[in-house]
Amino acid sequence: MLNGKTALITGASRGIGRAIALDMAQNGANIALNHFGEAEEAEAVRELILRENVRCELYECDVADFHASKRMADDVIRDFSRVDILVNNAGIARDNPILRVSEKDYDDVMDVNLKGSFNLMKHLYPAFMKSRAGTIINIASICGLHGWAWQASYAASKGGLIALTKTVAKELAGRGVTCNAIAPGFIATDMTVGLQGDRKETLLASIPLTRAGRPEDVSKLAVFLASDWAAYITGEVIKVDGGLCI
Ligand code: NAP
């Protein structure tokens, strides 16, 4: 489905980003794999990807850093000559009731989740404009659609990302570039493993499909959105939440 395309995926050392990188590679895409802290885990993902007979290069970068993300965008274009698919997946959460959210936690979450996605879209904008083709996929959240208690900064960042997705979709549509968001619900990854108190059980009990999502539930949709089958879909926000927000 993605033969010969190049995908830059942020935060792909673990969780949902890792699944998207593996799934896109299995579908023929060359992978530019961004990670921040987890060099060993990123290298292990790269080894799995190389078994699919596609290229894979690692890029260590804090996506929240405007200048570092520019350097990464330039390096990826230098190494692969092109980027067809950008997946803004890197994300963090700092759960707390709003009274206990520190300024630093608020800023950190906004910087990685919202500004980090903006950074990559901005830096790769000229390349997408020039190639007159391509796909951007932003990993948002149902929190950005519905709000969520204990997730003020996280929900705000994802709501902003959804607005950014629609804006970029409008700006780049004339150039043949699509931009969509995926809004996962509760997916079993490192991010959700430490949910405090009975929040996890309560959440799980309210999922109509009666289980937590798997990273692969999200990656299948990402592959579809990156494929030519989704060429006429842009500016959409698609939930992958087992029915949680019906
Ligand atoms: P995860 O397992 O905690 O993985 C997060 C990934 O983001 C890691 O690869 C991490 O890289 C990377 N990352 C964090 N800060 C970064 C930075 N400053 N620069 C570059 N990379 C950075 O989380 P996940 O559950 O897979 O989440 C992936 C995305 O899905 C996030 O945007 C999250 O908000 C969204 N999402 C998740 C859920 C869920 O239930 N899990 C639900 C809705 C939305 P290193 O390990 O290398 O630092």
Side-chain angles (χ1 to χ4, degrees):
M1 278 171 100
L2 306 178
N3 280 341
K5 297 191 178 192
T6 295
L8 168 58
I9 303 154
T10 68
S13 58
R14 295 183 278 125
I16 293 170
R18 175 184 185 276
I20 292 173
L22 288 171
D23 225 333
M24 288 194 172
Q26 280 157 11
N27 281 278
N30 297 310
I31 306 295
L33 192 153
N34 162 251
H35 64 101
F36 183 31
E38 303 288 344
E40 264 180 42
E41 290 188 50
E43 185 54 50
V45 182
R46 189 172 102 95
E47 278 171 28
L48 287 174
I49 287 173
L50 292 177
R51 290 186 204 164
E52 304 299 330
N53 291 319
V54 295
R55 279 188 68 190
C56 179
E57 304 294 341
L58 301 183
Y59 300 88
E60 185 174 348
C61 170
D62 176 0
V63 296
D65 182 326
F66 185 81
H67 298 290
S69 57
K70 170 81 169 97
R71 283 194 294 278
M72 176 168 71
D74 291 346
D75 288 350
V76 172
I77 302 258
R78 180 200 63 210
D79 295 346
F80 290 87
S81 315
R82 58 193 288 166
V83 174
D84 306 284
I85 303 159
L86 166 64
V87 184
N88 283 309
N89 166 80
I92 59 171
R94 300 278 183 270
D95 296 2
N96 247 325
I98 197 160
L99 268 177
R100 292 215 298 263
V101 176
S102 69
E103 183 183 9
K104 182 175 182 336
D105 278 353
Y106 182 85
D107 288 346
D108 286 351
V109 171
M110 294 301 276
D111 282 352
V112 176
N113 298 6
L114 184 54
K115 187 180 164 204
S117 303
F118 165 80
N119 287 343
L120 268 304
M121 286 193 275
K122 176 177 168 63
H123 298 322
L124 288 171
Y125 199 102
F128 280 121
M129 293 268 284
K130 201 169 152 204
S131 63
R132 302 188 79 90
T135 299
I136 301 168
I137 300 168
N138 293 323
I139 307 300
S141 166
I142 53 169
C143 304
L145 287 167
H146 298 278
W148 219 265
W150 285 44
Q151 300 213 303
S153 53
Y154 185 79
S157 72
K158 297 299 188 179
L161 184 55
I162 288 168
L164 198 51
T165 300
K166 293 181 182 185
T167 300
V168 172
K170 286 181 177 176
E171 284 192 18
L172 284 176
R175 294 281 177 154
V177 178
T178 61
C179 182
N180 293 289
I182 298 177
F186 181 97
I187 310 296
T189 66
D190 292 348
M191 186 177 276
T192 48
V193 83
L195 271 186
Q196 293 162 17
D198 56 5
R199 290 175 68 217
K200 196 167 177 173
E201 284 66 38
T202 309
L203 245 177
L204 279 170
S206 45
I207 298 174
L209 284 177
T210 69
R211 66 168 174 86
R214 305 180 188 104
E216 294 72 25
D217 293 318
V218 181
S219 64
K220 301 292 173 217
L221 176 58
V223 170
F224 168 73
L225 285 174
S227 76
D228 292 344
W229 287 5
Y232 201 58
I233 299 173
T234 196
E236 287 300 324
V237 185
I238 304 175
K239 287 182 282 182
V240 180
D241 69 348
L244 182 59
C245 291
I246 293 172

